[in-house]
Amino acid sequence: MSQNVVRNFYKSARYVTWSSGLRWKSSNPRSVLKLADRGMFKDIFPGNSSTEVDTLLKSSSQCVYAGFDPTADSLHVGNLLVLVNLLHWQKRGHQVVALIGGATGHIGDPSERSTERPSLSSELVFKNADSIKENIENVFENFRKHFSDGCELHPPKIVNNYDWYCKMNSVEFVGYVGRHFRMGTMLGRDSVSQRLKSERGMSFTEFTYQIFQAYDWLHLYRAHNCRFQIGGSDQMGNIVSGHDLISRVEDVPVYGITLPLIKSEAGDKFGKSAGNAVWLSSVKTSPYDLYQFFVRTPDADVEQLLKLFTFNTLREIKEIMDKHKQEPSKWIAQKVLAQDVTTLVHGEEGLKMAQLTSTLLHGSDPNKLAELTSEQALQVFRGAPLKKMILQPGMTFVDVSTAAGCFPTESDARRIISAGGFTVNYQKSRNPDEVFQVSHILPSNFSLLRVGKKNFYLVEWV
């Protein structure tokens, strides 16, 4: 590191915490530590290894891994930051490994949790693992198509730790792996000590989690020469366990790097446990909802999220922010962030659907509505009540709207329609007795009813 570089980081006994002032100068394309400029790293372990790591990364292509336990049937935006970090490694010529915890998903990581995770059946864990694998594959493929700038990429390796644990018995595991761990050290981990002080304590199952994650890294080192692990800042204890195990068994230097945890405006962690998860699966969080989540980013946070979640250069991000500050009401920075993240997670088609949904839900263009296919209509208005109906001669707006559930009573329907609070395909009518015509049916064979500005109802004509 140059003598002129600001070394604004704080040394603890075993690892280094980067502050936002650190700038790592390197012209080598493999220099992943340059990502510190974007705020993508929090800690590095061991703490005195920064120069050693930088030299190793410059010397040749390295292997790095991150783990994802299948405790749900989708990853979420907190996991996305880890995937984005892996993509930066991949773009710089390194081999990345995404490890799915088909075995550790049965155990549950106690990090940052006050209670034990519910036990999951093997069938559910395997099903979740398949879904998470699809999340990961989609993100890597969308990156290759839209953000890799034509770089030659090493294909990611997606592995499942169940594949090696199913071949080991408990006696072999405890006898071979367990002997390298010391109780005092294990009890001293933050994830353990905090839980032991709690009213419910910690089960033996959760207590062993750090041993399994440590062995995962040892296995990947032996199988893929994997010398780097990345994870959220809550994973430092588990990373240290893996480092110590490999140091004892293989006597080679390995390194762990943690990333900042993404927080909500209220300071809550974005994740499944916090109850406010935004998922990468389009079934659980639609492309539109993902898009809107990032569009709603506060001005105070948008620059940092552009650095963390997009692949724009720092100079490009500065230009985006300069334009945004000139006209903040246009949400220029938020829209770039939302477009890039939605494209990374759902591809171009997902972005188009998100933007189309935004236009239709927040606009009133009947021509755009008429362009929808039946599948698109169901996707755009997926939260709207759906009623299948047969068009009968003489049916009025009151008849259709009450049958569709728009109003609890006929008198309510007449009152609100007469007041102008009801539209059919964005066309307003104040006549409750207007006859519903074939012309009120869209080419998709649907009619869109709206009460007020935000209450939508779909009618499918059969």
Side-chain angles (χ1 to χ4, degrees):
M1 187 186 295
S2 167
Q3 294 295 323
N4 297 324
V5 176
V6 178
R7 293 188 180 91
N8 190 14
F9 56 84
Y10 303 95
K11 293 184 178 179
S12 69
R14 301 197 72 189
Y15 62 86
V16 165
T17 298
W18 272 291
S19 78
S20 58
L22 178 65
R23 294 294 180 266
W24 194 281
K25 291 187 176 180
S26 177
S27 59
N28 191 291
R30 295 197 186 99
S31 183
V32 179
L33 294 187
K34 184 70 175 172
L35 295 176
D37 295 0
R38 305 177 73 99
M40 291 199 76
F41 293 147
K42 186 176 186 298
D43 303 321
I44 186 170
F45 180 85
N48 59 355
S49 62
S50 298
T51 302
E52 183 180 327
V53 167
D54 193 48
T55 301
L56 181 61
L57 291 172
K58 292 175 184 177
S59 66
S60 62
S61 175
Q62 298 297 314
C63 181
V64 59
Y65 100 93
F68 306 91
D69 276 346
T71 52
D73 57 358
S74 174
L75 298 178
H76 52 80
V77 292
N79 304 125
L80 183 60
L81 181 60
V82 179
L83 288 172
V84 168
N85 197 284
L86 287 178
L87 292 169
H88 279 289
W89 287 73
Q90 185 191 37
K91 190 174 182 180
R92 284 161 172 77
H94 301 291
Q95 176 65 63
V96 302
V97 177
L99 183 150
I100 298 174
T104 44
H106 287 84
I107 298 171
D109 186 355
S111 302
E112 297 288 317
R113 288 188 61 87
S114 58
T115 59
E116 187 168 4
R117 296 178 186 274
S119 178
L120 302 178
S121 67
S122 295
E123 181 182 1
L124 183 57
V125 170
F126 296 151
K127 182 179 178 180
N128 289 348
D130 289 340
S131 298
I132 286 176
K133 181 180 179 182
E134 184 177 349
N135 293 162
I136 296 170
E137 289 173 339
N138 287 341
V139 168
F140 274 92
E141 180 60 15
N142 289 329
F143 174 77
R144 184 191 67 79
K145 288 181 178 178
H146 307 296
F147 299 102
S148 64
D149 300 326
C151 294
E152 185 175 347
L153 305 173
H154 295 296
K157 297 181 185 295
I158 303 177
V159 300
N160 189 323
N161 62 12
Y162 182 81
D163 292 340
W164 50 88
Y165 286 119
C166 70
K167 300 173 184 176
M168 302 176 68
N169 62 51
S170 58
V171 174
E172 177 186 1
F173 183 78
V174 173
Y176 173 67
V177 181
R179 69 177 61 254
H180 297 289
F181 288 82
R182 296 294 174 263
M183 290 296 298
T185 303
M186 295 177 68
L187 290 168
R189 300 279 186 240
D190 288 342
S191 61
V192 174
S193 61
Q194 292 174 8
R195 286 287 298 281
L196 290 176
K197 296 174 184 176
S198 69
E199 183 178 343
R200 295 191 177 186
M202 170 181 275
S203 70
F204 174 75
T205 301
E206 286 186 298
F207 182 64
T208 64
Y209 186 90
Q210 57 183 293
I211 301 179
F212 282 92
Q213 184 166 327
Y215 184 77
D216 285 342
W217 195 357
L218 174 61
H219 176 87
L220 293 180
Y221 169 75
R222 290 172 170 172
H224 304 289
N225 193 30
C226 183
R227 298 178 65 177
F228 290 89
Q229 181 182 174
I230 63 170
S233 58
D234 59 342
Q235 292 298 306
M236 178 56 79
N238 293 328
I239 290 173
V240 172
S241 294
H243 169 276
D244 293 349
L245 175 62
I246 295 173
S247 298
R248 293 190 183 104
V249 175
E250 298 291 341
D251 193 25
V252 294
V254 292
Y255 312 93
I257 300 176
T258 63
L259 320 179
L261 290 177
I262 306 301
K263 301 290 184 72
S264 69
E265 293 180 65
D268 298 323
K269 175 183 173 182
F270 284 132
K272 304 181 294 301
S273 306
N276 60 351
V278 177
W279 303 96
L280 304 193
S281 165
S282 61
V283 176
K284 294 171 74 74
T285 298
S286 70
Y288 164 75
D289 289 331
L290 179 69
Y291 182 86
Q292 287 298 316
F293 173 79
F294 283 99
V295 164
R296 293 193 297 267
T297 301
D299 283 352
D301 299 333
V302 67
E303 183 174 5
Q304 185 59 32
L305 293 189
L306 282 168
K307 293 177 181 178
L308 293 176
F309 283 105
T310 79
F311 300 94
N312 298 292
T313 66
L314 293 179
R315 177 176 296 179
E316 290 169 341
I317 291 173
K318 182 180 183 304
E319 293 172 353
I320 292 168
M321 291 305 302
D322 287 344
K323 292 179 181 177
H324 172 74
K325 290 172 183 176
Q326 292 172 7
E327 298 180 281
S329 62
K330 291 186 176 182
W331 299 349
I332 294 172
Q334 284 90 342
K335 288 180 179 178
V336 171
L337 173 64
Q339 289 169 8
D340 282 9
V341 172
T342 305
T343 302
L344 181 64
V345 176
H346 297 297
E348 282 189 343
E349 288 303 312
L351 175 62
K352 289 178 182 177
M353 181 55 64
Q355 293 174 325
L356 176 61
T357 303
S358 182
T359 298
L360 291 171
L361 291 182
H362 301 287
S364 56
D365 186 350
N367 295 322
K368 287 285 186 183
L369 199 60
E371 294 174 3
L372 291 180
T373 65
S374 58
E375 292 80 7
Q376 289 174 329
L378 289 171
Q379 186 171 348
V380 169
F381 300 102
R382 58 191 277 172
L386 174 64
K387 180 73 173 181
K388 294 185 177 183
M389 299 173 62
I390 298 175
L391 183 62
Q392 302 285 357
M395 289 183 78
T396 65
F397 276 21
V398 168
D399 296 330
V400 173
S401 61
T402 53
C406 300
F407 306 106
T409 66
E410 181 179 328
S411 61
D412 288 325
R414 289 187 175 279
R415 175 174 54 82
I416 294 175
I417 293 173
S418 298
F422 177 75
T423 67
V424 176
N425 303 331
Y426 294 136
Q427 300 294 320
K428 186 178 294 187
S429 173
R430 295 177 181 270
N431 180 9
D433 295 314
E434 180 177 343
V435 175
F436 212 95
Q437 307 283 353
V438 173
S439 59
H440 292 122
I441 301 177
L442 297 167
S444 61
N445 213 39
F446 285 92
S447 293
L448 178 69
L449 313 183
R450 183 171 70 176
V451 180
K453 292 184 177 180
K454 297 182 178 179
N455 300 307
F456 295 94
Y457 302 82
L458 272 180
V459 175
E460 182 179 4
W461 298 100
V462 295

